[in-house]
Amino acid sequence: MQVKDKIVIVTGAGSGIGAATAKHFAKHQATVVVSDIKEGKAKSIADEINNGGGKAVVVAANVAKFEEVEQLINTTVEKFGQLDVIVNNAGIGPRNMTKTGEYSLEDWDSVIAVNQTGVFYCMKLALQQMMKQGHGNIVNLASLAGLKASLNNLSYSASKFAVVGMTKSAALEYATKNIRINAVCPGYTESALLSKLLSVRPDMDQMLKSVIPMKRYGLAEEIAEAVVWLASDSTKFITGQTITLDGGTSL
């Protein structure tokens, strides 16, 4: 895929889909800024990339804090002179999955802050830089939960529907500016979020697989391939799209 020498930020890159995406960009010769709220995890991924012959640096950031996102973007541009791609992957789920009437204010506030407001912060600041340099590419991580109902999961569902809407609105605004904005919507994927859910409700494993036509969970590497493809020069006429990777679940 055509991402060689591109400067790429991946948020939430310390594990799961973010880590797989960072490594996949590096495999295709992009320079990756590995960002995560947990600096130690980000460093581990960056070290793996660099030890394997790729190029990566670490910039820790909590995307829910505007000043930390500013520092992430500014540090990247100061070091490399530009920002070609940002992958807004950082995300969390609620501590407790429950019906809307019993949903905690803490779970609402924390999930919206990271998954929705954090994506807005990253898009806002990345777009300012991309307008200055005359090009750019944004890939947002939404979810199948941003396309269809998700029981007992209000804040997560609301945040991912918002990511889909923000992706489409911004893509329309910047379509003539040589800036493309797309989203991927993974279904049930092997990740920390899914592991957390199954640790609380192990009985859900077979139930979830039963609604996936392929009868398995997605792999982080499979999502990463779609992200890198959307960020590459192979997809110059694609913008404002949501690519669903769910093994057929939405069917």
Side-chain angles (χ1 to χ4, degrees):
M1 281 179 276
Q2 300 174 51
V3 294
K4 183 179 179 181
D5 298 328
K6 290 186 185 293
I7 307 303
V8 181
I9 293 174
V10 182
T11 68
S15 62
I17 291 172
T21 298
K23 289 187 277 189
H24 206 60
F25 271 111
K27 175 183 174 182
H28 289 278
Q29 298 180 283
T31 296
V32 187
V33 178
V34 182
S35 184
D36 199 277
I37 193 171
K38 296 178 179 177
E39 188 170 7
K41 285 192 170 185
K43 186 177 185 304
S44 177
I45 299 302
D47 286 346
E48 184 178 341
I49 289 171
N50 289 322
N51 291 339
K55 300 175 185 176
V57 298
V58 175
V59 181
N62 177 354
V63 298
K65 295 184 177 181
F66 186 76
E67 63 277 11
E68 294 194 22
V69 178
E70 273 189 310
Q71 185 63 34
L72 170 61
I73 302 293
N74 290 342
T75 300
T76 300
V77 176
E78 287 167 8
K79 188 171 184 63
F80 298 108
Q82 64 190 57
L83 171 60
D84 299 305
V85 179
I86 186 167
V87 179
N88 293 316
N89 166 77
I92 62 172
R95 292 189 178 190
N96 299 294
M97 298 184 70
T98 186
K99 291 183 173 63
T100 300
E102 289 76 50
Y103 216 83
S104 76
L105 298 182
E106 180 185 4
D107 274 338
W108 175 266
D109 290 342
S110 62
V111 172
I112 295 298
V114 175
N115 295 9
Q116 182 173 334
T117 305
V119 170
F120 164 63
Y121 289 164
C122 289
M123 289 177 67
K124 173 182 172 64
L125 293 168
L127 284 164
Q128 291 175 4
Q129 172 59 30
M130 290 172 178
M131 283 294 290
K132 289 177 186 176
Q133 64 194 29
H135 72 275
N137 194 310
I138 297 174
V139 183
N140 295 323
L141 267 290
S143 170
L144 184 60
L147 300 173
K148 61 187 291 293
S150 183
L151 292 174
N152 303 323
N153 205 13
L154 189 73
S155 61
Y156 189 80
S157 181
S159 69
K160 294 304 184 178
F161 266 91
V163 169
V164 170
M166 289 190 290
T167 298
K168 290 180 177 292
S169 295
L172 188 59
E173 292 168 353
Y174 291 89
T176 62
K177 304 300 182 183
N178 200 28
I179 299 171
R180 298 191 295 111
I181 306 166
N182 293 288
V184 296
C185 294
Y188 300 110
T189 305
E190 292 183 4
S191 65
L193 283 177
L194 182 62
S195 297
K196 179 182 176 182
L197 171 63
L198 296 180
S199 69
V200 177
R201 291 282 307 278
D203 57 299
M204 290 188 69
D205 182 52
Q206 288 305 312
M207 186 274 285
L208 292 177
K209 287 178 179 174
S210 73
V211 302
I212 304 171
M214 288 188 177
K215 303 304 178 190
R216 69 171 178 87
Y217 301 129
L219 302 177
E221 291 77 13
E222 292 170 327
I223 312 304
E225 285 196 10
V227 172
V228 176
W229 177 69
L230 283 171
S232 76
D233 291 339
S234 302
T235 54
K236 288 183 177 179
F237 203 52
I238 298 177
T239 196
Q241 301 305 302
T242 52
I243 308 298
T244 307
L245 299 100
D246 65 355
T249 305
S250 53
L251 299 175

